[in-house]
């Protein structure tokens, strides 16, 4: 199978409006029609929350959330605080999640739904929405040359592919993410639904329900994939289709000088071998293993925000102090 992360660039018509503001920032809700050619019903509109500093803009940050909805409210905390420090910050809602769940589905499920066509549709869509959001931010003169993409879990996986495609990104920060889709499909608690489907006889192509066969194929083909170019990976008829949506396939194409990889020592959501293989692929990057779990760090966004400022070379006391300004972020769903 061939996966297609391409899209036709064009001027992006969008609507936006201030939904709330703080002392040092304004938050715009921005929406535009996705440039992806095969949107699932309910996912057609790209949505992002854009936190714009009232004073000088010194850098840009794009935040990509993880699977599901609960983590998003914590990541939204980053917006007003980074903006208060002079970083225009966008939190993109990925297709299939939160307010963009497709009809008759559940937030995040389609990225790991045990059907290769469904998975391809959402991974293509997620990558293209991320790339076109950078296009839009450029169009609005809001994508600073000093910029960073911070991706958590699913967001980190999407960022890996985006980083292999796009050279407009200065820094990539991966938070508690992983790869090796077969292990995630067969071992993660987040994919219990898929295994139940297998047990009930759900039929799949490409050995998706055959754990050992998948692992063997991966072990055999992965050394060859690490030698491939991006074009070879997306167009190859030889490699297993899961490799084309798997961040481990694209890690070797990243400039590791740009990459920071933070792994969670007590992560039980992503299997150890899933995290380890991506960690190893990024061994030449700035890697850190912290005594955290997959989710328990989320209420402590201050530390992530402080580290993002560090990566953006904002080390002044004023910038760090701005992160401590008490800002109230309202959940857009609670009106």
């Amino acid at each position: 199978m061939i996966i297609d992360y391409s899209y036709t660039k064009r001027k992006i018509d969008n609507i936006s409006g201030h939904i709330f503001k703080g002392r040092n920032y304004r938050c715009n809700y921005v929406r535009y029609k996705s440039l992806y050619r095969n949107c699932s019903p309910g996912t057609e509109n790209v949505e992002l929350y854009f936190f714009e500093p009232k004073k000088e803009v010194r850098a840009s940050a794009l935040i990509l959330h993880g699977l599901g909805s609960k983590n998003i409210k914590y990541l939204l905390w980053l917006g007003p605080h980074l903006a208060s420090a002079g970083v225009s910050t966008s939190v993109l809602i990925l297709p299939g999640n939160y307010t963009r769940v497709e009809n008759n589905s559940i937030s995040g499920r389609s990225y790991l739904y045990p059907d290769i066509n469904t998975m391809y549709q959402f991974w293509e869509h997620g990558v293209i929405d991320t790339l076109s959001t950078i296009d839009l931010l450029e169009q609005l003169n809001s994508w600073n040359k000093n910029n960073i993409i911070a991706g958590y879990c699913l967001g980190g996986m999407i960022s890996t592919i985006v980083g292999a495609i796009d050279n407009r990104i200065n820094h990539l920060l991966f938070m508690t993410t992983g790869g090796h889709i077969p292990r995630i499909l067969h071992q993660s608690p987040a994919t219990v639904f898929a295994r139940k489907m297998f047990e009930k006889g759900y039929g799949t192509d490409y050995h998706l329900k055959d754990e050992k066969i998948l692992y063997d194929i991966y072990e055999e083909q992965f050394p060859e994939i690490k030698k491939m170019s991006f074009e070879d990976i997306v167009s190859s008829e030889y490699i297993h289709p899961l490799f084309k949506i798997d961040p481990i396939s694209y890690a070797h194409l990243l400039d590791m000088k740009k990459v920071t990889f933070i792994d969670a020592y007590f992560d039980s959501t992503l299997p150890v071998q899933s995290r380890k293989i991506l960690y190893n692929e990024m061994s030449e990057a700035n890697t850190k293993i912290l005594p955290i779990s997959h989710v328990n760090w989320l209420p402590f966004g201050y530390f992530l925000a402080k580290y993002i400022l560090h990566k953006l070379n904002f080390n002044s006391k004023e910038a760090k102090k701005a992160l401590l300004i008490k800002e109230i972020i309202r959940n857009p769903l609670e009106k």
Side-chain angles (χ1 to χ4, degrees), residues 21 23-25 49 63 65 90 132 143 153 179 207 224 295:
K21 61 184 178 181
R23 277 172 287 177
N24 300 304
Y25 74 93
Y49 298 92
I63 311 296
H65 58 77
S90 302
S132 62
W143 187 247
C153 189
H207 307 292
E224 296 301 317
V295 297

Side-chain angles (χ1 to χ4, degrees), residues 152 176 264-268 290-298:
Y152 163 62
T176 61
Y265 187 81
F266 298 109
D267 191 340
S268 58
L290 302 181
I292 56 177
S293 74
H294 193 71
V295 297
N296 74 345
W297 66 274
L298 283 167

Side-chain angles (χ1 to χ4, degrees), residues 317-332:
K317 290 182 180 178
E318 291 75 16
K320 293 174 183 176
K321 188 177 178 181
L323 297 180
L324 296 173
I325 295 174
K326 188 175 182 181
E327 300 281 5
I328 297 175
I329 178 79
R330 287 179 289 179
N331 187 337

Side-chain angles (χ1 to χ4, degrees), residues 22-222:
R23 277 172 287 177
N24 300 304
Y25 74 93
R26 290 184 297 186
C27 178
N28 293 304
Y29 169 72
V30 183
R31 191 172 70 189
Y32 65 93
K33 288 288 184 186
S34 176
L35 274 58
Y36 181 49
R37 62 200 166 279
N38 185 31
C39 298
S40 185
T43 68
E44 300 92 340
N45 292 316
V46 181
E47 301 175 12
L48 61 142
Y49 298 92
F50 174 50
F51 298 85
E52 182 182 19
K54 286 183 177 178
K55 298 180 180 177
E56 181 187 5
V57 176
R58 302 170 62 189
S60 300
L62 178 58
I63 311 296
L64 299 186
H65 58 77
L67 286 170
S69 297
K70 291 182 180 178
N71 67 99
I72 296 175
K73 69 177 181 180
Y74 293 106
L75 296 179
L76 282 169
W77 183 94
L78 295 170
H81 293 85
L82 286 172
S84 295
V87 181
S88 69
T89 303
S90 302
V91 180
L92 170 64
I93 307 302
L94 292 166
N97 288 273
Y98 200 44
T99 50
R100 298 186 65 197
V101 176
E102 67 276 30
N103 296 345
N104 302 316
S105 189
I106 296 171
S107 187
R109 186 175 69 169
S110 295
Y111 288 86
L112 295 167
Y113 195 82
D115 175 90
I116 201 73
N117 292 307
T118 301
M119 284 194 278
Y120 267 34
Q121 181 184 20
F122 278 82
W123 284 88
E124 287 177 339
H125 196 174
V127 168
I128 289 172
D129 279 2
T130 304
L131 293 169
S132 62
T133 293
I134 298 175
D135 296 345
L136 174 63
L137 293 172
E138 276 193 332
Q139 179 182 307
L140 300 174
N141 294 319
S142 296
W143 187 247
N144 196 286
K145 289 184 178 178
N146 185 19
N147 64 68
I148 188 169
I149 290 185
Y152 163 62
C153 189
L154 170 68
M157 299 176 194
I158 295 281
S159 301
T160 305
I161 301 173
V162 168
I165 297 173
D166 202 307
N167 59 13
R168 293 174 293 180
I169 303 163
N170 274 6
H171 306 281
L172 287 160
L173 173 58
F174 302 119
M175 281 296 300
T176 61
T177 189
H180 204 295
I181 301 292
R183 290 192 183 278
I184 296 174
L185 202 56
H186 285 279
Q187 297 179 8
S188 170
T191 52
V192 169
F193 75 94
R195 297 193 289 279
K196 287 183 177 178
M197 291 171 66
F198 294 147
E199 289 170 4
K200 292 179 180 178
Y202 182 79
T204 63
D205 298 324
Y206 304 104
H207 307 292
L208 294 188
K209 68 177 180 181
D210 301 312
E211 184 177 358
K212 185 177 185 311
I213 293 176
L214 273 181
Y215 291 178
D216 289 345
I217 292 173
Y218 254 58
E219 185 173 352
E220 177 190 345
Q221 295 185 353
F222 189 43

